Amino acid sequence: TNGSKMKSDGKRPHAEAPAVQVVAVPVTVQPGAIAVATFGSGLEQQANPAPGGFLPFDAGNGEKQWGTHLCGCCEQCCPTCWMALICPCFTIARIRANTNIDKPDFCSIKDKFWPNCCFYALPGWLEVMRLLIFCFPFIGALLQIVSRILQIFNCCLLWGTRVRFRARYGIRDPTCCCCCEDQCQPQNPPCGCRCLPDCCTVTFCGWCVLAQMDRTEFRYHGTCDCEACCGAYCTDPSTMP
């Protein structure tokens, strides 16, 4: 009967909880990095190491992978994403000056901050001048031609910078282009051309390429670090304490 199943104090016995086994999984984190783990996926990425931003992590076979996605602009909106969109000349100048990347070397810009900034901004200024002198169509057409040629040089500058930046951190070469770079990595690139993924990514996602390198190289406070924007961002990092 129900009464015979009750204890002498009149209370029903509690069901025993099933045993839970806890397994410790060792995770190796590089010195100075903060490990960010997600449930069921192990080590997701190593974020905000000193002194840079999102540190590339080990992808196996002695290669590393980007610590921040190409399309991960929301990981650091301001100033990285915002300044790469409205003032990409400052972004690439900061990256080349801070990493001492001096190739490609167009017009002896090397890894100097202001020469890189002016060279990258020149096509935009020529387009502005073309619009201002619309009453002189012949001169405007010449300015447009020169601007288009300089934009090709800028693509080559960004491509060469990304290749050397990736080599500096030991990041593996991509075999897919644009946003697919974060999702799939086939063994061989399309048509067997090793430079094709980088060329396509730089051509169609140039702003994202700049923002990704900036998030990797520099550390900011939070997703929106407004104090690091504008004046602080447009300063040669090699002269800052």
Side-chain angles (χ1 to χ4, degrees):
T1 62
N2 293 335
S4 62
K5 295 182 181 180
M6 298 180 61
K7 290 185 177 180
S8 58
D9 56 358
K11 296 183 180 180
R12 294 182 179 273
H14 295 285
E16 295 183 358
V20 178
Q21 184 178 5
V22 179
V23 179
V25 179
V27 177
T28 303
V29 181
Q30 298 182 7
I34 301 175
V36 180
T38 56
F39 179 77
S41 64
L43 186 63
E44 182 69 15
Q45 72 175 15
Q46 298 167 6
N48 288 341
F54 291 87
L55 185 70
F57 60 93
D58 189 12
N61 298 326
E63 296 179 322
K64 292 185 179 180
Q65 186 175 340
W66 290 96
T68 173
H69 298 302
L70 179 66
C71 299
C73 295
C74 293
E75 296 173 2
Q76 218 299 306
C77 296
C78 181
T80 296
C81 181
W82 176 246
M83 294 302 290
L85 178 64
I86 64 173
C87 294
C89 56
F90 288 108
T91 305
I92 192 169
R94 280 165 51 85
I95 294 169
R96 286 174 64 89
N98 202 64
T99 56
N100 297 321
I101 296 177
D102 57 359
K103 301 291 183 181
D105 183 15
F106 300 132
C107 302
S108 299
I109 59 176
K110 296 187 180 296
D111 58 350
K112 303 172 185 175
F113 179 80
W114 286 111
N116 275 277
C117 182
C118 294
F119 184 89
Y120 205 82
L122 189 55
W125 284 111
L126 292 179
E127 288 292 335
V128 173
M129 292 176 59
R130 182 181 66 87
L131 296 176
L132 293 177
I133 58 173
F134 60 91
C135 54
F136 301 100
F138 178 74
I139 299 178
L142 289 178
L143 291 176
Q144 188 174 27
I145 293 173
V146 175
S147 175
R148 294 294 185 268
I149 294 175
L150 289 175
Q151 287 177 10
I152 297 175
F153 277 93
N154 276 356
C155 286
C156 294
L157 180 67
L158 182 56
W159 170 75
T161 301
R162 190 183 197 228
V163 170
R164 289 165 177 81
F165 186 91
R166 198 169 54 238
R168 180 178 185 266
Y169 280 98
I171 301 174
R172 65 185 180 185
D173 296 337
T175 52
C176 279
C177 59
C178 301
C179 57
C180 296
E181 180 179 305
D182 297 328
Q183 305 299 329
C184 62
Q185 287 289 345
Q187 186 175 0
N188 295 313
C191 303
C193 182
R194 304 295 300 182
C195 65
L196 183 61
D198 268 325
C199 291
C200 292
T201 303
V202 166
T203 302
F204 299 107
C205 303
W207 291 328
C208 295
V209 168
L210 287 170
Q212 184 185 42
M213 289 190 293
D214 190 83
R215 290 193 302 272
T216 303
E217 184 65 23
F218 300 100
R219 168 182 281 188
Y220 301 102
H221 301 285
T223 305
C224 293
D225 188 1
C226 297
E227 295 182 359
C229 198
C230 298
Y233 192 87
C234 305
T235 305
D236 186 353
S238 61
T239 62
M240 299 178 65

